[in-house]
Amino acid sequence: MHFIRGWRRSAAAITAIRSLSVKRFLCSIGSEDDTIFAVSSGQGRCGVAVVRVSGPASAHAVRSLTRGFPAARVASLRSITHPQTRELLDRGLVLWFPGPGSFTGEDSAEFHIHGGPAVISGVLQALGSLPGLRPAEAGEFTRRAFGAGKLDLTEVEGLGDLIHAETEAQRRQALRQMAGDLGRIYQDWRVRLKRCLAHVEAFIDFSEDELIEDGILNDVDTAVRQLQTDMENHLSDQRRGERLRSGVQVVIAGSTNAGKSSLLNMLTQRPAAIVSATAGTTRDVVEVPLDIGGYPVLLSDTAGLRDTTDSVEQEGVRRARQRVEQADLSLVVVDLTQVPSEPQLVPVFLSEHLKNILEHSSHRQQCILILNKSDLSSAEHNRSIQASLERSDDVPAACFLSCHTRDGLEDLLTLLQNRLKTLCGDPLIGSPSLTQTRHRTLLQKSVEALHQYHQYRDVDLVLAAEGLRLGLSSLGRITGRVGPEEILDTIFKEFCIGK
């Protein structure tokens, strides 16, 4: 038993060393006493540019450039001059944020100046001339906020996602994660698992002295099972959050001359793909990012699927089938003039056609059938086909469309938006979804570690406790409570200079 206790203390020491290495890593790109500065408002000409300063010499920087000092968190109009030459650089607003009540937790200042390149360059050069100040590295302001405990890693990632958000749904999801909704879930699990581990270790250390209540391990068993259930439910989200973050992969597929490229051009509202009456015009994959109803979409036009002896077209067909395999949603375009003239025969024809285009049944469930060139058929005939399709269970949702007249476009967009909402979910409703592959991998490791607890619970309680410890470590690495240096490096390098 003494050996076991010593071994556990060694494990705790290793954890402490890891935590210390993280702190060292946070400051590895410069001294802890460095004061950093950068433009935080983006590059290029603009009406107003924001230059951010953070660190112990921030107050000196403000005094040196403005010959005064503003009240905390009050915008003050000041003349900004070069500290050596006293040349006037600009007139702008200066804000002072004393630590720890700032974004980074350090003394910080902001200079709101005119956004011309010469003005920005002059102010940056003036700051660089002061001792103890240096330009910030990418993501260094946020790195310091993390080091000061202002943000956990999930909130840092939410901030990064917010900066890169291009659609309304992405913005909503990023804001929720940045507010800590996701981090609080993981922290709650971590607290519960830490309690379980403490009870098991107490049982190992003190059960022989009869100082532990009867049934404590049964309580741990119940708590661990509930944690497993919660984690597994969280993991079984069909990757909605990750899909919303990175974009839904939507592929336009079908036979040659069905109107696939015309559909792409109509949805993008520009001639993104060449349209020709010659079959097999599209040889490679044409990708276009879109915002459809607030959801990010990467729309791909592909080569027409047919047997061919042309080696270039064969490669195009191979790539098209590969994209269909990888797609979250397929838009299968069918030339309405090529379907049987008898409406009752159309469902069987389309079912067989889909089997050729979408080889796996799971893909057929994630597709929208588009019957193009509806303007070449009478409205009455189209209604008869529609009625026949509604009576069939073998054909997915279908809509009639004319890329020539744009009739049916609104119905297609409504159907597409509803399907995107199903694939991505509503980021404002229910529990927040997983957004990062990193989270998913660590949660899966945590669940596996909890399985280890059950596996060894009645065989070797020390090994069972180690399962809980491994699960706790994986959860901690999600929020940054415990984690190797490369995890932090991967996250922070995604940020821009000045953030």
Side-chain angles (χ1 to χ4, degrees), residues 83-98:
Q84 273 81 45
T85 66
R86 308 317 308 177
E87 176 188 359
L88 180 66
L89 302 175
D90 194 16
R91 282 179 60 81
L93 297 178
V94 179
L95 292 96
W96 169 246
F97 303 97

Side-chain angles (χ1 to χ4, degrees), residues 16-32:
I17 291 171
R18 283 182 174 177
S19 298
L20 179 61
S21 68
V22 168
K23 292 178 181 177
R24 287 174 177 167
F25 175 73
L26 291 172
C27 302
S28 63
I29 54 177
S31 168
E32 293 183 40

Side-chain angles (χ1 to χ4, degrees), residues 95-115:
L95 292 96
W96 169 246
F97 303 97
S102 67
F103 173 72
T104 60
E106 305 172 318
D107 287 347
S108 301
E110 290 182 0
F111 297 87
H112 293 220
I113 58 178
H114 293 96

Side-chain angles (χ1 to χ4, degrees), residues 167-204:
T167 71
E168 283 297 300
Q170 286 178 321
R171 176 185 61 79
R172 294 186 187 112
Q173 177 170 272
L175 275 173
R176 192 173 181 188
Q177 182 170 333
M178 192 181 72
D181 286 15
L182 197 59
R184 279 189 287 273
I185 291 177
Y186 300 147
Q187 181 60 18
D188 173 66
W189 291 346
R190 191 167 180 269
V191 169
R192 289 159 59 187
L193 188 52
K194 189 186 298 183
R195 187 182 302 117
C196 291
L197 178 59
H199 288 169
V200 172
E201 291 192 332
F203 186 88
I204 293 172

Side-chain angles (χ1 to χ4, degrees), residues 198-208 212-213 216-217 461:
H199 288 169
V200 172
E201 291 192 332
F203 186 88
I204 293 172
D205 285 344
F206 304 116
S207 61
E208 294 177 357
I212 301 297
E213 297 178 5
I216 190 170
L217 288 184
L461 201 54

Side-chain angles (χ1 to χ4, degrees), residues 201-309:
E201 291 192 332
F203 186 88
I204 293 172
D205 285 344
F206 304 116
S207 61
E208 294 177 357
D209 302 326
E210 298 183 353
L211 298 175
I212 301 297
E213 297 178 5
D214 293 336
I216 190 170
L217 288 184
N218 292 333
D219 293 341
V220 171
D221 293 344
T222 302
V224 171
R225 287 194 187 92
Q226 185 58 53
L227 265 174
Q228 280 182 267
T229 300
D230 292 346
M231 291 182 188
E232 288 168 351
N233 289 340
H234 191 59
L235 285 166
S236 61
D237 65 344
Q238 300 179 333
R239 299 183 181 271
R240 286 191 294 267
E242 294 157 275
R243 190 179 289 121
L244 176 56
R245 179 176 179 268
S246 60
V248 183
Q249 300 285 336
V250 178
V251 173
I252 303 174
S255 302
T256 56
N257 272 13
K260 300 184 300 299
S261 296
S262 297
L263 175 60
L264 177 76
N265 293 344
M266 186 170 63
L267 292 174
T268 59
Q269 301 181 42
R270 64 183 178 87
I274 298 173
V275 176
S276 170
T278 303
T281 302
T282 302
R283 300 294 183 93
D284 208 345
V285 178
V286 180
E287 293 183 339
V288 181
L290 288 178
D291 177 345
I292 298 180
Y295 293 95
V297 169
L298 184 62
L299 186 64
S300 300
D301 181 25
T302 59
L305 300 178
R306 67 172 180 176
D307 295 328
T308 178
T309 58

